[in-house]
């Protein structure tokens, strides 16, 4: 059995060392230069593989995603049919996302970006604080990561609701589904967290219509995929004051172009 490791942005030596420690007899190939004989590859461990690479492996039996999402694999139009794809569910990934979402929710809740701006301007002004019980959190996507993040936020006393394709039964989290449920969630979300998978139904879901359905002064945190957000509509919502701030961990094109307005926008944390 031969495994191909191919990942854009990761150090392959770290992964190869870890894999060999667990599976010393495994034949590991590191792409794109170390593939060798394509007919010998049985399994691909991949993140953002080049278009057509999977189709060039005639005996491929499985594709393993190095992340929770698989759209980076599915967007390849030459993907070989019938080869199963598995996504990664990892305790470290879950913990990291919980830490990140909690950090950003608390940062906006305690108005940290505004205090940082005041510090840079040399301005001494007390900002009014809101109790956590009065700050409503909405989560788009109540899968493995969304449920974990929502549960964590309830421990801080935030009222948490979530929207997903199917109704969820998660203690302490109100569940919404369907189009009506989406707008019901948006209307009661002072901080909206996006953790949706990227599908044809969720691409561009955060556009002018949905962003304007949020309460005035709401905050957006997107840690899912960049294509969930229509960039110009987000900028318009921030400029108009309908949204007070946004934290973005993902972008429509990565790396983000140096001249993109997100870089220097005073209301955006990247």
């Amino acid at each position: 059995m031969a495994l191909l490791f191919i990942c854009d942005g990761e150090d392959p030596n770290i992964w190869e060392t870890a894999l060999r420690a667990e599976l010393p007899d495994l034949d590991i190939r590191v792409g794109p230069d170390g593939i060798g004989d394509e007919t010998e590859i049985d399994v691909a461990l991949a993140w953002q593989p080049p278009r057509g690479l999977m189709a060039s492996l005639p005996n491929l039996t499985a594709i393993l995603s190095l992340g929770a999402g698989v759209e980076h694999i599915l967007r390849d139009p030459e993907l070989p049919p019938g080869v199963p794809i598995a996504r990664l569910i990892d305790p470290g990934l879950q913990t990291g996302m919980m830490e990140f979402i909690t950090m950003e929710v608390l940062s906006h809740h305690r108005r940290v970006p505004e205090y940082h701006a005041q510090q840079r301007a040399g301005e001494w002004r007390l900002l009014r604080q809101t109790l956590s019980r009065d700050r409503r959190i909405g989560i788009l996507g109540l899968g493995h990561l969304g449920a974990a993040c929502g549960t964590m936020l309830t421990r801080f006393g935030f009222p948490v609701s979530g929207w997903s394709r199917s109704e969820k039964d998660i203690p302490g989290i109100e569940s919404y589904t369907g189009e009506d449920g989406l707008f019901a969630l948006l209307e009661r979300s002072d901080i909206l967290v996006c953790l949706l998978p990227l599908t044809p139904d969720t691409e561009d879901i955060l556009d002018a219509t949905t962003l304007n359905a949020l309460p005035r002064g709401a905050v957006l945190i997107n840690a899912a995929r960049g294509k969930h957000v229509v960039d110009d509509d987000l900028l318009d919502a921030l400029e108009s004051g309908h949204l007070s701030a946004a934290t973005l961990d993902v972008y429509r094109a990565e790396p983000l172009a140096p001249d993109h307005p997100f870089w220097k926008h005073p209301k955006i944390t990247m």
Side-chain angles (χ1 to χ4, degrees):
M1 174 181 174
L3 178 143
L4 171 64
F5 177 87
I6 180 80
C7 181
D8 180 23
E10 284 279 356
D11 183 350
N13 295 322
I14 295 175
W15 281 90
E16 186 176 5
T17 300
L19 287 167
R20 292 194 187 283
E22 297 294 330
L23 301 165
D25 298 325
L26 181 63
D27 180 3
I28 301 173
R29 317 280 178 86
V30 178
D33 299 326
I35 295 176
D37 186 350
E38 290 94 342
T39 64
E40 296 175 350
I41 303 297
D42 302 285
V43 176
L45 182 60
W47 181 260
Q48 297 184 345
R51 173 176 173 170
L53 177 60
M54 298 297 112
S56 72
L57 308 173
N59 295 317
L60 191 65
T61 61
I63 303 171
L64 312 180
S65 172
L66 275 168
V70 297
E71 75 281 350
H72 64 100
I73 296 170
L74 295 174
R75 68 188 175 203
D76 183 352
E78 301 174 30
L79 197 66
V83 177
I85 301 172
R87 67 189 181 97
L88 178 68
I89 297 178
D90 175 73
L93 180 64
Q94 181 189 54
T95 299
M97 184 62 76
M98 290 167 57
E99 292 171 347
F100 175 73
I101 294 301
T102 302
M103 174 181 70
E104 290 302 317
V105 166
L106 291 174
S107 175
H108 289 293
H109 172 61
R110 299 296 302 177
R111 307 181 71 172
V112 172
E114 294 170 84
Y115 272 119
H116 284 170
Q118 289 185 187
Q119 178 184 347
R120 290 190 296 271
E123 181 181 359
W124 185 283
R125 181 166 57 90
L126 184 65
L127 299 177
R128 180 181 179 273
Q129 299 291 334
T130 300
L131 295 175
S132 59
R133 70 187 183 199
D134 296 323
R135 182 85 70 187
R136 302 165 298 176
I137 311 298
I139 299 178
L140 297 180
L142 283 178
H144 183 70
L145 296 178
C149 292
T151 299
M152 175 62 73
L153 291 170
T154 63
R155 297 174 186 171
F156 289 86
F158 294 108
V160 178
S161 299
W163 180 80
S164 53
R165 183 173 56 182
S166 59
E167 188 172 352
K168 305 292 184 180
D169 183 12
I170 304 171
I173 300 177
E174 188 173 2
S175 177
Y176 291 87
T177 62
E179 184 175 357
D180 290 343
L182 172 61
F183 282 89
L185 174 85
L186 295 172
E187 291 168 1
R188 50 90 59 222
S189 296
D190 301 310
I191 298 178
L192 180 69
V193 177
C194 182
L195 290 171
L196 287 167
L198 184 63
T199 69
D201 291 332
T202 64
E203 185 170 345
D204 296 334
I205 192 171
L206 295 170
D207 60 7
T209 300
T210 50
L211 293 175
N212 286 322
L214 292 164
R216 186 168 183 82
V219 172
L220 171 66
I221 300 172
N222 185 22
R225 294 291 182 265
K227 290 185 178 180
H228 286 127
V229 176
V230 178
D231 290 0
D232 288 342
D233 291 352
L234 173 59
L235 290 168
D236 288 344
L238 291 168
E239 292 300 323
S240 71
H242 189 77
L243 294 188
S244 64
T247 289
L248 304 176
D249 184 48
V250 287
Y251 309 91
R252 298 186 76 89
E254 297 183 4
L256 196 63
D259 61 348
H260 197 287
F262 285 172
W263 283 108
K264 297 182 179 180
H265 199 288
K267 295 182 179 180
I268 292 177
T269 299
M270 294 177 60

